[in-house]
Amino acid sequence: MKIRIGVGSAGATASMEAMGELVAGLDEFRFDSLWLSEVLTGPVLDPVVGLAWAAASNPRLKVGTTMLLPGRNVLRLAKQLASLDRLSQGRLLVTLVPGLTFAPEREAIGVEPKQRGAFIDEALPLLRRLWAGETVSHDGPAGTLREVKLSPLPVQQPLEVWLGGTVPAALERCGRLSDGWLPSLCTPAEAAAGRVVIEAAAARAGRSISGEHFGMSVGYATAPIDPATARAMAARRPRSVELTPVGLPALRKLIEQFIAVGFSKFVVRPLVTPKSWRAELEALADAVGDLQT
């Protein structure tokens, strides 16, 4: 099992200087990948733009995104990600997500939470067909296409797509449609149970997911979380405070627990933007870098 650790950018890393320090530090300390999440109403870079900049700045680093699918023009998204994979020479990692459900993000996405799963069910197979070079015709909620053939195609064939989510419908969808699972905010025991559900759903669909394709996105705090921040976190995502390790030793312990139940790919995310990304990455590498294989 190949253990790989990527790093997710904290929200305020939106300047060229901060991104440059982050990308250089990830390379220096031999982390696997840079991850940018898409939050339309948050203080974060657009992931396609940010990852294109990062990929051009470093020829080795993999670039990954947890990116919205509901509400998107499927053809435009297919072309954006295919272009990014081609320009990065096959270094793109993709996890598609339904998006957050709190206001104003819910309104910005434009698809009600209860409808997002059905949108993914329809849109993801279309993306796969477009990336494979098929001529695609389709008419449905995810869009209308008339004999469309995408060009250029991704370098990676296939361009793999992972999904997140921990509710039963998301687990079933992951087994039926995805190439891997990258959830967040669950315990190692819950993750292990979720994997069983996903693998059973994959088997029912006549497919399988590689044992190397189960990962976890872990937000961590470097200091105790103050009450105001804790209330804000809980309002946005229940259980987020209790499932956030505080301190790098706690982060390492949690990663080791996930490894023990068969998870091997990790995205670790500081909750607060570091004053110095290089110092943060050096400390992070000392704490968890040796877990990579």
Side-chain angles (χ1 to χ4, degrees), residues 195-218:
R195 177 173 177 170
V196 171
V197 174
I198 288 169
E199 291 179 329
R204 288 194 299 273
R207 59 194 303 272
S208 63
I209 297 175
S210 168
E212 295 277 354
H213 287 189
F214 289 87
M216 186 63 53
S217 178
V218 183

Side-chain angles (χ1 to χ4, degrees), residues 230-267:
R231 287 192 296 271
M233 290 171 60
R236 294 178 62 174
R237 302 190 73 180
R239 301 181 69 200
S240 57
V241 178
E242 64 180 280
L243 294 175
T244 297
V246 178
L248 295 180
L251 174 63
R252 181 187 177 95
K253 180 179 179 181
L254 183 59
I255 292 174
E256 289 176 331
Q257 291 172 338
F258 280 116
I259 292 172
V261 296
F263 284 65
S264 60
K265 307 301 182 288
F266 300 93
V267 178

Side-chain angles (χ1 to χ4, degrees), residues 117-134:
F119 190 97
I120 294 172
D121 284 343
E122 181 180 337
L124 181 50
L126 288 177
L127 288 171
R128 292 194 187 281
R129 292 177 63 195
L130 288 164
W131 287 332
E134 293 184 27

Side-chain angles (χ1 to χ4, degrees), residues 2 30 35 49 54 59 85 101 104 121 140 175 181 183 201 210 213-214 226 229-230 245 249-250 263 267 269 286:
K2 297 178 181 178
R30 310 303 292 176
W35 286 77
V49 175
D85 190 62
T101 58
D121 284 343
W181 187 39
S210 168
H213 287 189
F214 289 87
D226 65 81
T229 301
F263 284 65
V267 178
R269 304 172 281 106
D286 288 342

